């Protein structure tokens, strides 16, 4: 999987929430799920399209499935302040390279306790059958 | 339509891009499309789920349709820097109050020239037939 950066804008030179979210993001998007999940709280809630995912184990299974579909990723923007960070990026899969995803993180004591995740499931779905 | 704020975090006390995006956002979400479109460039491109929308007129028609579905909105986060702003919020419709949307704006000379918009179309679709 290759990573690309495209006019990434990063505000707040010192936001520990953004540092944590960025470290998590770099890890899982480069295939290092163990590294990524060092930044995830045991009782994380991920508010994902279609339903909430509760707990580190369920979230790891969900994210692991998504990461296997990814062939690359283009970061677009990353911001953070206090307890929150907000990332916007274009994952690439076999189906799309232009559909974005955004993640809003709440981070406490260096761990992600909530992720609000948005992407368009239809854009990432399987291509129509011929 | 009622507006609510929920742990809105706003970085960069002086970001003219964020000021422009916020003024645009406040206007259209309170039903003032004329006011909102004063901040939109004639040749805007909106990269929306399912396809690009090009030009102010087509974009106004698209956004007007969405605004008619909305019964409210909860802002979650707003960040900006230089030429870019990033908003994350939960529109409320008859179908959902928990599905978020994110918008990444590129702003030049006080006008929005590009919007990258992400929401999950399935979450905002019509409810299943009984």
């Amino acid at each position: 999987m290759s990573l690309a950066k495209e006019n990434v804008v990063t505000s707040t030179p010192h936001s520990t929430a953004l540092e944590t979210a960025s470290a998590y993001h770099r890890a899982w998007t480069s295939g290092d799920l163990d590294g990524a999940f060092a930044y995830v709280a045991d009782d994380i809630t991920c508010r994902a399209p279609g339903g909430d995912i509760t707990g580190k184990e369920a979230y790891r299974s969900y994210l692991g499935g998504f990461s296997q579909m990814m062939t690359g990723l283009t970061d677009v923007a990353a911001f953070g302040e206090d307890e929150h960070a907000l990332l916007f990026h274009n994952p690439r899969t076999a189906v799309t390279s232009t559909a974005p995803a955004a993640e809003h993180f709440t981070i406490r004591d260096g761990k992600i306790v909530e992720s609000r995740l948005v992407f368009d499931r239809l854009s990432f779905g399987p291509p129509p059958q011929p």
Side-chain angles (χ1 to χ4, degrees), chain A:
Chain A
M1 187 170 74
S2 66
L3 298 178
K5 293 205 170 196
E6 180 188 348
N7 62 299
V8 177
V9 288
T10 304
S11 78
T12 51
H14 187 71
S15 159
T16 53
L18 179 56
E19 286 170 4
T20 300
S22 297
Y24 161 82
H25 179 73
R26 280 193 305 270
W28 84 262
T29 58
S30 61
D32 178 12
L33 279 184
D34 285 342
F37 275 76
Y39 300 104
V40 173
D42 289 342
D43 60 349
I44 186 173
T45 298
C46 175
R47 303 189 183 283
D52 293 353
I53 297 151
T54 306
K56 195 171 184 171
E57 194 173 333
Y59 182 53
R60 182 171 171 139
S61 170
Y62 178 78
L63 194 72
F66 192 74
S67 72
Q68 296 214 334
M69 291 167 47
M70 280 178 57
T71 59
L73 182 132
T74 303
D75 287 319
V76 175
F79 289 101
E81 193 187 49
D82 297 339
E83 287 194 333
H84 300 102
L86 181 54
L87 306 183
F88 193 101
H89 43 79
N90 287 359
R92 287 197 296 279
T93 69
V95 178
T96 182
S97 63
T98 58
E103 293 174 280
H104 178 267
F105 297 103
T106 302
I107 292 163
R108 295 197 187 108
D109 300 326
K111 304 274 191 179
I112 300 166
V113 296
E114 185 182 70
S115 163
R116 299 182 194 215
L117 170 64
V118 57
F119 61 88
D120 177 46
R121 282 176 288 172
L122 288 173
S123 295
F124 288 92
Q129 296 298 312

